[in-house]
Amino acid sequence: MNIDREEARRIAELARLDLDDDALVRMAAEMTKILTYIDQLREVDVEGFEEHTAEATPLRDDEPRPSLDRSSAERNAPQWTGGFFVVPKVIGGE
Amino acid sequence: MWNAVIGLEVHARLQTRTKIFCGCAVSFGAPPNTQVCPTCLGYPGALPVLNREAVELAIRMAIATGCTIHHRSIFARKNYFYPDLPKGYQISQFDEPLATGGSVNGIRIRRIHMEEDAGKLIHHGDASHVDLNRAGTPLIEIVSEPDIRSAAEADAYLTRLRQTLMYAGVCDGNMEEGSLRCDANVSVHREGEPLGTRTEVKNVNSFRFLRAAIDFEIARQIQVLEAGGTIVQETRLFDPNSGETRVMRSKEEAHDYRYFPDPDLLPLEIEEEWIDDVRTALPELPAARVARYQNEHGLSATDAEILVTSREIAEYFDAAAAASGNARAAANWVRNDVLRIQNERGACRLSAEGLAQLIRLIDAGTIGSKAAKEIFDEIATTGEDPRAVVERKGLAQVSDPAVIREAAAKVIERNTTQVEQYRAGKTQIFGFLVGQLMKETRGKANAEMANAILKEMLGG
């Protein structure tokens, strides 16, 4: 599979990455290489091998556990006020 | 002739004690960011572990809506950037949801899937404040097929859906607090023509807003089309203040979520046995109750609907109907008086057994309907046994023919003029004489008997 520069730009935009043209060209080449490798894996003949089915996700009881104390949450926040994380104003979203 | 085609997407918060993928408590109104942990804050390396109770509640709703529950479903990442979502993706279910293909109120359910809620943003000047207590709260999304044709039908569907969620103990149904949220997909087309382009209306979080938003959107689309315009596929936001919908984002701005299976979560597997256990434990649901009230008790559809409004009322009615042996009377008392008292005084203290007792007193002829109302109004507040009130206030009616006869004789003796008029054919004077008889017995004479005896003694 081939990823061109435009596709790389679109993926970068979705990931909110600001990449210049040189970086996009490099990324496109690297992504192409990764996907080509995956395509190569697909060509392997697996006839006769049993599929390994994934196990089920474990389930947890509905028992409350202590949350973080707020100062720990605050320590990891770039900006914080009155118990809230502060981010630049955003409107829209979901 | 225009037809509207409507589908609803309803998000219901599951009534668990903890979040869907971590042990943080879920409670409305806690101080901001006090119910957060590395998992729901999206710290690197923290792993989600699914809450069994959340799955069970989702199964409950799937059964209650007649959906097929899939023995294996997959959690997927829905990727988008918004600060209410610390991980940069929401864990949801995409192409392999928990359940598909049910129905509510004749409207088909396309799917029910599990997902996590996002946090809350409060906008302040040029900053937004983020509270992540709600992030990771368990939700189910219930997606209907576009089978709804009007705002009234949407209202009826959401009403039954909400009732069902509440009866089954899946969700508290509180729309004000956001436990139940609704988006509407609306399109219009001319009779006989293919379906029109749909718009999605968000933020219709009350029954009134839902009806207003749908009516507005239908009218808006028809107006655009009749003026020769076209409807563009877009997301619109309902503004409760203006009663209008306005563009939130167009199709071009639509998110590309790049869904993929969440590598942190293995497939959710649900054994048939688990489903059977949940099914067995389900209470009787509102739709089944409405049918039973009509078939077993001969109630009208309207009365039955009023009685199933809430599970508490329905169970109260069931208990009163069973204990009194008079379902019709119980239905009348509950729908007229118990609900009135609840509205007026906030609560009705009279137990179902107490109401049944009151009904039995009437049916046995011990008290008349007027006394019954008086007693009810009192015990609705005190919760007292109606028999005690009858005793204390001497409200038992007189049903002894000898006593009534004696009183009637006195009335006839004292009102010779009226009696003569009556006997001369002025029958409307009878009411006056009955009134005198009731007065004579201080209102306690069994009204039916008083009528019959007086009539007989007057020679009518």
Side-chain angles (χ1 to χ4, degrees):
Chain A
M1 187 185 264
N2 189 44
I3 301 285
D4 61 18
R5 196 175 54 180
E6 275 320 296
E7 183 65 14
R9 188 191 307 281
R10 183 165 159 61
I11 294 166
E13 273 166 12
L14 283 171
R16 300 292 191 273
L17 294 174
D18 189 15
L19 300 181
D20 60 24
D21 272 359
D22 287 349
L24 285 174
V25 171
R26 201 171 65 241
M27 289 304 292
E30 282 177 16
M31 283 192 275
T32 302
K33 216 165 137 190
I34 293 165
L35 291 172
T36 308
Y37 174 65
I38 301 292
D39 285 343
Q40 206 181 327
L41 280 179
R42 281 205 185 123
E43 284 166 21
V44 178
D45 181 10
V46 291
E47 189 68 41
F49 287 88
E50 215 172 295
E51 191 183 345
H52 176 75
T53 45
E55 285 171 53
T57 198
L59 297 173
R60 164 179 70 77
D61 286 339
D62 188 27
E63 292 294 334
R65 295 177 59 174
S67 293
L68 277 185
D69 67 88
R70 220 155 46 166
S71 58
S72 319
E74 180 177 358
R75 234 185 346 262
N76 286 303
Q79 228 190 316
W80 177 271
T81 186
F84 290 96
F85 296 96
V86 180
V87 297
K89 185 169 182 173
V90 274
I91 299 282
E94 262 315 82
Chain B
M1 177 65 187
W2 291 95
N3 289 340
V5 175
I6 302 154
L8 296 187
E9 292 172 11
V10 174
H11 285 90
R13 188 189 299 159
L14 301 173
Q15 279 179 309
T16 56
R17 300 171 65 200
T18 67
K19 293 186 178 181
I20 183 168
F21 296 120
C22 64
C24 285
V26 189
S27 65
F28 186 78
N33 295 310
T34 51
Q35 294 174 343
V36 293
C37 74
T39 302
C40 58
L41 287 177
Y43 285 1
L47 288 173
V49 187
L50 185 58
N51 183 341
R52 179 183 288 108
E53 180 67 9
V55 178
E56 175 143 340
L57 294 177
I59 293 174
R60 240 188 248 176
M61 191 55 185
I63 295 172
T65 52
C67 284
T68 304
I69 296 162
H70 300 291
H71 293 295
R72 182 188 136 107
S73 61
I74 304 289
F75 284 97
R77 290 185 180 182
K78 178 179 179 179
N79 298 284
Y80 65 93
F81 288 100
Y82 199 61
D84 62 0
L85 201 71
K87 298 191 296 298
Y89 57 86
Q90 178 193 29
I91 304 178
S92 182
Q93 294 188 306
F94 184 53
D95 48 9
E96 293 187 59
L98 178 92
T100 51
S103 86
V104 165
N105 230 24
I107 306 299
R108 288 171 300 156
I109 303 280
R110 180 181 296 167
R111 58 185 278 153
I112 296 180
H113 69 251
M114 302 184 70
E115 62 186 30
E116 58 177 344
D117 205 350
K120 222 175 7 217
L121 293 183
I122 302 153
H123 303 296
H124 275 288
D126 52 7
S128 294
H129 291 181
V130 189
D131 175 9
L132 295 175
N133 282 348
R134 205 181 61 185
T137 302
L139 302 177
I140 46 173
E141 180 173 343
I142 305 159
V143 184
S144 86
E145 293 290 351
D147 289 350
I148 300 164
R149 297 287 169 266
S150 66
E153 274 185 36
D155 188 297
Y157 164 78
L158 188 61
T159 299
R160 180 70 88 230
L161 192 72
R162 178 167 174 271
Q163 277 172 357
T164 305
L165 283 163
M166 291 167 72
Y167 270 67
V170 171
C171 171
D172 68 19
N174 190 328
M175 298 182 83
E176 256 165 58
E177 290 181 1
S179 297
L180 193 66
R181 309 195 286 264
C182 182
D183 303 328
N185 289 305
V186 180
S187 74
V188 299
H189 64 277
R190 282 185 206 273
E191 180 94 45
E193 287 183 7
L195 295 185
T197 304
R198 70 185 168 88
T199 59
E200 182 178 8
V201 185
K202 292 205 168 267
N203 196 30
V204 281
N205 295 327
S206 77
F207 285 94
R208 195 161 56 86
F209 294 171
L210 176 69
R211 289 190 305 268
I214 289 174
D215 281 337
F216 177 85
E217 192 54 21
I218 291 172
R220 185 191 69 85
Q221 291 187 11
I222 291 173
Q223 201 178 11
V224 169
L225 293 169
E226 283 186 341
T230 49
I231 300 298
V232 282
Q233 193 178 330
E234 62 194 6
T235 304
R236 302 177 69 87
L237 200 66
F238 177 69
D239 178 359
N241 295 319
S242 63
E244 299 182 347
T245 68
R246 55 187 160 77
V247 187
M248 191 172 134
R249 60 174 171 259
S250 67
K251 194 187 177 185
E252 288 70 43
E253 298 165 289
H255 293 300
D256 177 354
Y257 295 120
R258 300 267 158 151
Y259 282 98
F260 65 87
D262 191 324
D264 288 344
L265 287 156
L266 290 163
L268 168 59
E269 281 181 10
I270 297 168
E271 313 255 336
E272 195 60 39
E273 205 186 338
W274 191 4
I275 301 173
D276 287 342
D277 287 348
V278 176
R279 182 177 285 119
T280 314
L282 265 186
E284 189 184 17
L285 296 166
R289 273 203 154 97
V290 167
R292 182 165 63 81
Y293 291 170
Q294 294 180 80
N295 299 334
E296 266 179 31
H297 301 324
L299 302 184
S300 70
T302 319
D303 283 356
E305 283 295 344
I306 292 170
L307 293 173
V308 303
T309 309
S310 78
R311 186 171 163 185
E312 289 67 36
I313 285 294
E315 285 175 351
Y316 185 95
F317 162 70
D318 279 340
S324 68
N326 187 345
R328 267 173 186 274
N332 283 330
W333 279 100
V334 173
R335 72 159 283 192
N336 296 322
D337 302 278
V338 174
L339 291 176
R340 171 178 57 83
I341 293 288
Q342 279 192 347
N343 279 336
E344 286 172 7
R345 308 183 194 169
C348 177
R349 299 259 331 267
L350 179 60
S351 67
E353 176 52 38
L355 177 60
Q357 217 33 278
L358 186 67
I359 293 168
R360 282 206 299 263
L361 289 171
I362 303 163
D363 289 352
T366 311
I367 52 172
S369 57
K370 211 173 142 219
K373 292 273 177 199
E374 191 185 323
I375 296 167
F376 176 85
D377 262 30
E378 187 173 331
I379 58 183
T381 301
T382 62
E384 213 176 335
D385 187 317
R387 286 169 301 191
V389 182
V390 170
E391 188 98 345
R392 179 160 51 77
K393 297 190 141 183
L395 287 170
Q397 66 184 359
V398 175
S399 297
D400 181 346
V403 176
I404 297 175
R405 240 168 234 290
E406 201 180 309
K410 279 186 198 160
V411 169
I412 291 171
E413 203 182 292
R414 252 184 256 138
N415 298 283
T416 41
T417 325
Q418 284 83 356
V419 170
E420 265 168 41
Q421 284 175 342
Y422 175 81
R423 287 186 173 142
K426 202 178 171 196
T427 50
Q428 62 267 43
I429 208 87
F430 186 68
F432 167 80
L433 293 166
V434 170
Q436 292 302 305
L437 176 53
M438 294 309 284
K439 213 169 176 184
E440 182 63 32
T441 59
R442 271 174 295 145
K444 284 190 224 158
N446 178 322
E448 221 173 291
M449 260 185 193
N451 267 298
I453 288 173
L454 189 62
K455 198 163 263 177
E456 182 207 313
M457 289 175 68
L458 286 168

